[in-house]
Amino acid sequence: MTDLWAALALVAVLEGLVLFAFPGAWRRTAEQLLSTPVRRLRVIGALVMGAGLVALYLVRH
């Protein structure tokens, strides 16, 4: 369970770092996401999630 909390904390740090370092780029990206079709967002989300699971498997084994 400690690993889960550590991973979530690391995600928060990385998200905050991007927002702190590149607020304009982050805003433009968010605006583009609003105009992206929902189906495409779901496909991208599934691909990122799959890549994360593969990476996690490779790191843990």
Side-chain angles (χ1 to χ4, degrees):
M1 190 66 165
T2 303
D3 287 342
L4 175 61
W5 287 113
L8 291 174
L10 185 57
V11 168
V13 168
L14 292 174
E15 289 283 337
L17 178 63
V18 170
L19 194 55
F20 176 77
F22 308 105
W26 187 89
R27 179 175 282 179
R28 287 189 300 276
T29 301
E31 289 170 352
Q32 288 176 342
L33 284 172
L34 289 173
S35 64
T36 304
V38 172
R39 180 169 170 78
R40 182 172 291 168
L41 292 174
R42 287 186 192 271
V43 169
I44 292 169
L47 291 173
V48 170
M49 188 171 44
L53 287 171
V54 169
L56 182 61
Y57 176 80
L58 292 173
V59 167
R60 295 301 246 166
H61 286 90

